[in-house]
Amino acid sequence: MFLTISTTGSGGAPATDLGFLLHKHPEKAQVFSTSYGDAHVFYPEASEQRCTAALLLEVDPVALVRRGKGKGRGGAPDSALAQYVNDRPYAASSLLAVALRTVFASALRGVCDARPERAANPLPLRIGIPAVPARGGAALVRRLFEPLGWTVEAEPVVLDAQFPAWGDSRYVRLVLEGELRLAEALRHLYVLLPVLDDAKHYWVSPDEVDKLLRMGEGWLAGHPEQRLITNRYLARRWSLTRQAMERLELARLAEADDSEPEELDNAVDEEVDTEEKPVPLAVQRREAILTALRSAGAARVLDLGCGQGQLVGELLKDARFTEIVGVDVSMRALGEAARRLRLDRMGDHRAARVRLMQGSLAYSDTRLKGYDAAVLSEVVEHLDLPRLPALEYAVFGTARPATVVVTTPNVEYNVRWETLPAGHVRHADHRFEWTREEFRSWAGQVAQRHGYDVRHVPVGPDDPEVGPPTQMAVFTTTAKEAVA
């Protein structure tokens, strides 16, 4: 995918100021990692009279197949061949929009400390994109961009020049010219490229409404094609489209009334917050672990790999957990856990319930025997795979608590995070991340070898296509082992 942004200079305002506004030096060629490949930024021309910045998105087709099992054209193809033979590497789409946001984040916000007056004022801009999929043709391109102040040149691309009878393809060569602030121009592209394509390469979640309204601030509320833009941008999800339209109408009414939207939307008492806020995944994970421990009737609990003690702190809040031991190989982490838990200020009765100790899960430790339950929360993925058998034996073979709770990331869900670069794991220290099938296979083998039953619990939103963001296995000793 290829896009150019050009401007011209005038007395006292050289065209090369474009480099300051984009925060990319004209004399450097730079590479940035995005979700589906590398984005290259370079300047084909840079003089005081004229300056052009080019963005080339080099899509990784393998990453596109591996991570594109969700929504969007090319993501869920009708045939296996379509996964590999498609226009995604060449035609501007939501892939290019995400690259724009990744590479030109400061420019999108209109931030430029070096040239604040240039960022705040319109520039003579020319934007060129060789291939844009336009479901609606050149006429739709004009309906979308012309109300925003652009002069639009949208030339249909013929299917095959040697066979003119075949007619035009659904692609256009797009050139936009106009005097606009650079931040406005980038926001127009960010919203309207996926709208023209009428598809997105990632799952459209509720936070896309906020993103649309943020990028559409100042122009979307009054756009004549507002409903079409909103519907397509939100992947035709009716509930999200309705929510966005209601908020846009509120913004329009507030502008007409010369007031703030909050002043009009005052039916809810600010003192009583009835809005459901999204619960962080880490909180959902701890709640799921606590539920499993309570269901098991555990009183004496090991937190293996306790880190900074967040789970230990939650366990302390529940009086049914009478003894809590946090174990970690890092003394620095244990020191931070002690500070967070305020062990030095804790009352004697509560302090008697908790203990922090250093230990490695790669070695058997008799101090860990005799506990009701052990938790390995986001721990196994930090070990090299060859060391997992040692951890398995130390926990399931030697310590042998009646219940073991293990949580780990579900790598299949990574596709839902558009900003996670292709092929990357969620944390730099993760040695691996398992699919649901890989985790179930490992858990089943461990349970069979050591006399446990195992059940699996999704943690976080259970996506119908890629599963939950966190997968949890709850091991309990079999009836035969319990009797013994």
Side-chain angles (χ1 to χ4, degrees):
M1 298 181 197
F2 191 66
L3 175 148
T4 59
I5 304 172
S6 304
T7 189
T8 54
S10 58
T16 47
D17 281 351
L18 182 64
F20 289 102
L21 300 178
L22 292 174
H23 297 263
K24 304 292 179 289
H25 199 289
E27 295 182 4
K28 295 180 180 179
Q30 296 176 267
V31 183
F32 302 86
S33 180
T34 71
S35 303
Y36 289 86
D38 292 332
H40 303 261
V41 178
F42 56 94
Y43 288 75
E45 57 180 341
S47 67
E48 291 190 0
Q49 293 73 38
R50 184 176 174 83
C51 185
T52 298
L55 173 64
L56 172 66
L57 178 58
E58 188 178 18
V59 174
D60 180 353
V62 175
L64 190 63
V65 173
R66 288 178 176 172
R67 301 193 64 207
K69 299 185 184 301
K71 300 291 184 183
R73 180 176 50 79
D78 296 331
S79 65
L81 183 60
Q83 296 182 81
Y84 299 92
V85 183
N86 57 59
D87 63 356
R88 280 315 203 193
Y90 315 106
S93 65
S94 59
L95 288 165
L96 185 59
V98 170
L100 281 171
R101 196 187 71 179
T102 303
V103 175
F104 299 133
S106 297
L108 270 165
R109 297 195 304 271
V111 175
C112 182
D113 294 336
R115 299 287 190 274
E117 71 288 347
R118 295 283 271 165
N121 293 312
L123 301 174
L125 293 174
R126 185 181 192 275
I127 295 173
I129 310 175
V132 178
R135 294 178 184 268
L140 177 62
V141 178
R142 296 187 182 93
R143 283 161 46 200
L144 293 180
F145 283 100
E146 286 181 347
L148 300 175
W150 292 104
T151 299
V152 179
E153 181 184 330
E155 179 187 352
V157 177
V158 298
L159 279 172
D160 194 317
Q162 295 184 12
F163 301 94
W166 290 0
D168 296 332
S169 69
R170 61 186 183 85
Y171 302 94
V172 298
R173 294 187 184 92
L174 178 61
V175 176
L176 303 172
E177 292 188 275
E179 289 207 7
L180 295 91
R181 292 175 56 238
L182 180 62
E184 290 175 341
L186 293 175
R187 289 172 188 162
H188 296 166
L189 292 171
Y190 181 84
V191 173
L192 296 181
L193 286 179
V195 168
L196 283 170
D197 190 18
D198 199 12
K200 283 200 170 183
H201 69 278
Y202 59 88
W203 177 254
V204 175
S205 57
D207 63 359
E208 290 290 304
V209 175
D210 292 328
K211 195 185 302 180
L212 171 64
L213 298 183
R214 186 168 62 251
M215 293 297 183
E217 185 178 0
W219 62 270
L220 181 57
H223 198 290
E225 297 292 344
Q226 177 195 109
R227 180 171 291 278
L228 180 144
I229 293 170
T230 304
N231 193 30
R232 285 193 176 192
Y233 184 89
L234 297 171
R236 303 181 185 275
R237 293 189 62 184
W238 178 80
S239 60
L240 299 185
T241 301
R242 183 183 64 179
Q243 179 184 342
M245 293 297 294
E246 289 173 351
R247 291 172 61 179
L248 285 168
E249 177 63 13
L250 182 63
R252 187 190 67 80
L253 292 173
E255 184 177 0
D257 197 46
D258 194 22
S259 60
E260 294 297 323
E262 293 77 11
E263 296 177 25
L264 295 179
D265 192 20
N266 59 3
V268 178
D269 188 350
E270 294 292 336
E271 306 262 331
V272 182
D273 189 0
T274 59
E275 181 182 359
E276 291 188 10
K277 296 181 174 60
V279 180
L281 181 58
V283 174
Q284 295 182 62
R285 189 185 301 124
R286 288 194 290 271
E287 290 176 350
I289 292 170
L290 290 169
T291 298
L293 294 175
R294 290 165 183 150
S295 297
R300 304 175 67 237
V301 179
L302 297 166
D303 183 6
L304 304 178
C306 65
Q308 298 178 9
Q310 290 93 334
L311 178 60
V312 172
E314 293 299 317
L315 291 166
L316 272 171
K317 295 176 183 178
D318 192 331
R320 77 185 75 192
F321 301 115
T322 58
E323 184 178 352
I324 306 153
V325 178
V327 181
D328 204 287
V329 71
S330 169
M331 284 302 299
R332 181 178 177 182
L334 292 172
E336 181 64 19
R339 185 189 68 80
R340 283 173 173 265
L341 295 169
R342 300 185 178 182
L343 289 183
D344 57 339
R345 304 179 188 177
M346 195 176 288
D348 292 343
H349 178 71
R350 202 175 191 198
R353 294 171 53 212
V354 63
R355 181 160 51 103
L356 302 177
M357 66 184 193
Q358 186 181 25
S360 171
L361 302 181
Y363 302 97
S364 298
D365 190 336
T366 56
R367 296 177 299 173
L368 306 182
K369 289 185 175 181
Y371 286 84
D372 300 327
V375 178
L376 291 160
S377 179
E378 309 300 284
V379 170
V380 295
E381 65 273 9
H382 290 272
L383 275 69
D384 292 317
L385 282 169
R387 297 179 69 85
L388 275 184
L391 175 143
E392 173 191 333
Y393 183 76
V395 176
F396 294 90
T398 302
R400 291 198 60 75
T403 300
V404 181
V405 181
V406 180
T407 73
T408 191
N410 168 23
V411 70
E412 295 170 76
Y413 194 88
N414 289 357
V415 70
R416 297 301 185 239
W417 281 298
E418 58 173 287
T419 55
L420 185 64
H424 285 54
V425 290
R426 297 185 199 176
H427 190 279
D429 191 51
H430 287 186
R431 303 300 197 267
F432 62 89
E433 287 177 358
W434 274 325
T435 64
R436 288 169 290 172
E437 182 179 350
E438 289 169 334
F439 182 52
R440 285 176 178 271
S441 174
W442 175 81
Q445 293 174 29
V446 169
Q448 186 176 21
R449 282 193 289 265
H450 298 283
Y452 283 81
D453 293 323
V454 61
R455 62 184 176 89
H456 293 269
V457 180
V459 179
D462 196 358
D463 189 286
E465 295 173 344
V466 296
T470 295
Q471 42 193 342
M472 182 171 80
V474 181
F475 299 82
T476 53
T477 49
T478 62
K480 180 179 178 181
E481 290 288 330
V483 171

